[in-house]
Amino acid sequence: MFQPEIETMTREQLRELQSQRLTDLVARLYEHVPYYRERLSEAGVSPGDVRSIDDITKLPITRKDDVQNNYPFGLLAVPRSELARVHASSGTTGKPTVMGYTRGDLDVFAEVNARSLAAAGATPGMVFHNAYGYGLFTGGLGLHGGGERLGLTVVPVSGGMTERQIGLILDLRPGIIACTPSYAQTLAEEFRRRGISPEEIPLQYGILGAEPWTEAIRADVEAGLGIKASNIYGLTEVIGPGVANEAHDEGQGSYLWEDHFYPEILDRDTGDPVPDGEEGVLVITTLTKEGVPLLRYWTGDITNITHEPGPSGRTHARIGLIRGRSDDMMVIRGVNVYPTQIEAALQLVSQASAHYQLIVRRQGTLDELELKLELTPEAFNRVGQGVLEGGIIEVDRKVDELRAHIQHKIRDIVGIGVKVTLMGPGEVPRSAGGKLRRIVDERKL
Ligand code: ADP
């Protein structure tokens, strides 16, 4: 552990710290951010009304729109000249969001990333291959700061240029890699293509995140790179990566560093709190942020939470793997479908590789969901060989049977019929370094 005294503090101590920090935060926002002064007044809350963390439910929710409408510096709680850096979200779901960081914020950013790297298996002195993108995106510089704080030897390679990444990994012998799970898959494939076995790859650990992933993808990259892979979660509005991280030796949810970020799970429709273990939207209050602190930020990410201490003695709450963003939810003929549900069905199909894409179209008035699924090379050799046309495996009896089998599994779990197109190895687009878009929505709604 990087900070055992904080990571294992009792729930009572944590609550007391959160209460103090929330009281202070509301006072700061009321005094320095006109937008929040107005929203708090509308909600009938004055700073004196907030005395404990339980009072958080009285406070207004902040949404992405609120941040964007105040672009670029409308939500600053400090003079602009006190900002040491800005970052912006990668813009996966529309207009990017710009956030400002004070020196204090950068310090917290490094601290939570050092904690996360240590939880993922890094130890001081280890070489750290950081293949998250550098630049406005928070991933590269966020983990970079954490690596330096923990005492790692940071290789700031950034995303892309797979050839060079492979060479550096073989030459510099890093113990840990950071990148998106989809890019870890790309790297694993490239090693395999070159005939380099997982045992020959120096990496021992991976700290992967920035996009939704599943146990099937984890199994794929762990086997392909010969690593133990942990989940890192975060978002620009809250700070960037390092909001939550799994412990590599536990793997039962990601510790959300609650001394800085207060989590709530709320019902996506009613906004009411949901009990531990049930799914809802993760909402986070930045307890210590100075530059652009946010009250109850609606992340849109769907997950569940537990407040039970973990096996390592860490006491901070743990969130499950993110099921997806609420905006990734596809409504197909009235049924809510997440890509991760399709993946859960594919885990039951031994011929399915971890590479797929979902295409949503509208045929007349009906929605159609097409799954473009790559077979594993072994399955391809059995059913597909010789019938590959333009990447697509053409109809014959064995292929038809397999397709029907997959459709059946998906209908069982997701409850809808999908069109299945089987593809040959390497035919579905890969991550070239950053976040992978697995859904292509061709409906013009
Ligand atoms: P953008 O919304 O433009 O992608 P960011 O670069 O700030 O902005 O990315 C934050 C988002 O990335 C999160 O809200 C979440 O949807 C996704 N994300 C980050 N880490 C993970 C993770 N470990 N698992 C699933 N999704 C993640």
Side-chain angles (χ1 to χ4, degrees):
M1 281 183 221
F2 177 62
Q3 291 167 311
E5 69 294 350
I6 297 174
E7 294 173 52
T8 64
M9 71 203 296
T10 64
R11 293 290 319 166
E12 294 75 61
Q13 289 169 327
L14 206 46
R15 240 180 84 82
E16 201 169 303
L17 186 66
Q18 290 169 333
S19 296
Q20 273 167 17
R21 289 182 167 173
L22 183 68
T23 308
D24 170 66
L25 172 65
V26 172
R28 277 192 289 135
L29 289 172
Y30 199 85
E31 193 176 332
H32 300 297
V33 186
Y35 169 81
Y36 271 123
R37 188 179 314 134
E38 208 171 290
R39 298 260 341 247
L40 287 164
S41 305
E42 274 166 24
V45 180
S46 53
D49 297 337
V50 177
R51 278 181 294 264
S52 115
I53 194 70
D54 295 335
D55 294 323
I56 200 155
T57 52
K58 300 177 184 162
L59 304 177
I61 300 272
T62 309
R63 291 176 187 269
K64 201 177 191 109
D65 277 2
D66 301 319
V67 177
Q68 288 174 338
N69 293 340
N70 285 288
Y71 174 89
F73 294 129
L75 292 181
L76 281 192
V78 298
R80 210 276 310 131
S81 56
E82 283 184 28
L83 294 185
R85 197 196 285 171
V86 298
H87 275 292
S89 72
S90 45
T92 312
T93 55
K95 208 163 105 186
T97 328
V98 171
M99 298 305 273
Y101 298 65
T102 64
R103 292 202 174 283
D105 294 335
L106 292 178
D107 202 49
V108 170
F109 199 17
E111 174 185 313
V112 292
N113 276 281
R115 263 190 229 172
S116 296
L117 279 158
T123 48
M126 197 179 258
V127 175
F128 168 36
H129 186 93
N130 188 9
Y132 263 141
Y134 279 66
L136 274 177
F137 173 58
T138 49
L141 284 164
L143 275 141
H144 183 105
E148 288 186 346
R149 178 68 59 89
L150 183 59
L152 308 181
T153 306
V154 186
V155 184
V157 57
S158 194
M161 296 208 271
T162 305
E163 290 275 306
R164 188 177 70 173
Q165 307 257 358
I166 299 273
L168 283 169
I169 291 172
L170 294 174
D171 296 344
L172 305 184
R173 310 197 65 74
I176 183 163
I177 183 170
C179 61
T180 56
S182 56
Y183 194 56
Q185 290 181 293
T186 299
L187 289 172
E189 275 196 326
E190 187 54 26
F191 276 113
R192 200 175 307 133
R193 206 182 58 76
R194 295 182 176 209
I196 298 167
S197 72
E199 298 73 49
E200 294 169 273
I201 304 171
L203 293 165
Q204 295 164 265
Y205 301 105
I207 182 164
L208 312 181
E211 66 188 10
W213 57 314
T214 56
E215 293 304 334
I217 298 177
R218 195 199 305 261
D220 192 49
V221 300
E222 288 193 337
L225 292 174
I227 57 172
K228 189 87 196 85
S230 307
N231 180 47
I232 181 161
Y233 169 82
L235 65 166
T236 311
E237 292 83 347
V238 170
I239 202 154
V243 171
N245 209 96
E246 269 172 346
H248 71 94
D249 44 358
E250 299 181 23
Q252 300 171 9
S254 305
Y255 290 102
L256 194 143
W257 307 122
E258 273 192 85
D259 50 329
H260 295 296
F261 315 114
Y262 184 77
E264 296 169 89
I265 304 285
L266 304 183
D267 183 284
R268 54 174 294 155
D269 299 319
T270 63
D272 293 334
V274 306
D276 276 21
E278 280 179 28
E279 243 170 36
V281 174
L282 177 62
V283 171
I284 299 176
T285 298
T286 63
L287 294 173
T288 54
K289 221 201 223 188
E290 297 171 342
V292 190
L294 297 178
L295 288 181
R296 307 186 82 198
Y297 185 71
W298 185 270
T299 67
D301 294 322
I302 310 285
T303 188
N304 56 63
I305 202 164
T306 170
H307 289 83
E308 290 298 312
S312 58
R314 290 181 179 92
T315 48
H316 296 226
R318 280 170 293 162
I319 55 170
L321 282 183
I322 306 287
R323 179 186 273 293
R325 306 176 185 237
S326 41
D327 349 358
D328 269 353
M329 190 186 77
M330 301 168 283
V331 183
I332 308 290
R333 300 187 291 272
V335 178
N336 299 350
V337 182
Y338 289 101
T340 46
Q341 286 176 296
I342 304 272
E343 285 176 38
L346 293 179
Q347 276 181 54
L348 306 173
V349 177
S350 60
Q351 296 93 337
S353 77
H355 301 284
Y356 72 92
Q357 203 175 35
L358 292 167
I359 294 136
V360 192
R361 348 189 143 74
R362 179 151 284 187
Q363 302 281 24
T365 54
L366 268 192
D367 298 324
E368 177 188 86
L369 181 62
E370 177 184 2
L371 165 70
K372 286 190 171 170
L373 173 68
E374 229 179 84
L375 295 183
T376 62
E378 303 76 50
F380 177 67
N381 284 335
R382 281 199 304 276
V383 305
Q385 206 70 292
V387 286
L388 188 70
E389 284 247 347
I392 298 175
I393 301 172
E394 291 293 313
V395 186
D396 79 1
R397 202 171 54 80
K398 275 189 295 183
V399 175
D400 275 345
E401 277 169 18
L402 177 55
R403 209 187 338 251
H405 172 64
I406 294 168
Q407 280 166 334
H408 185 75
K409 291 286 178 212
I410 293 175
R411 188 181 285 281
D412 272 358
I413 290 195
V414 190
I416 58 160
V418 301
K419 175 178 173 195
V420 174
T421 304
L422 298 176
M423 313 286 286
E427 298 292 345
V428 168
R430 300 291 196 265
S431 160
K435 303 190 188 213
L436 185 64
R437 262 338 249 153
R438 292 187 200 268
I439 307 175
V440 181
D441 197 337
E442 294 179 348
R443 294 176 296 189
K444 307 266 179 306
L445 297 180

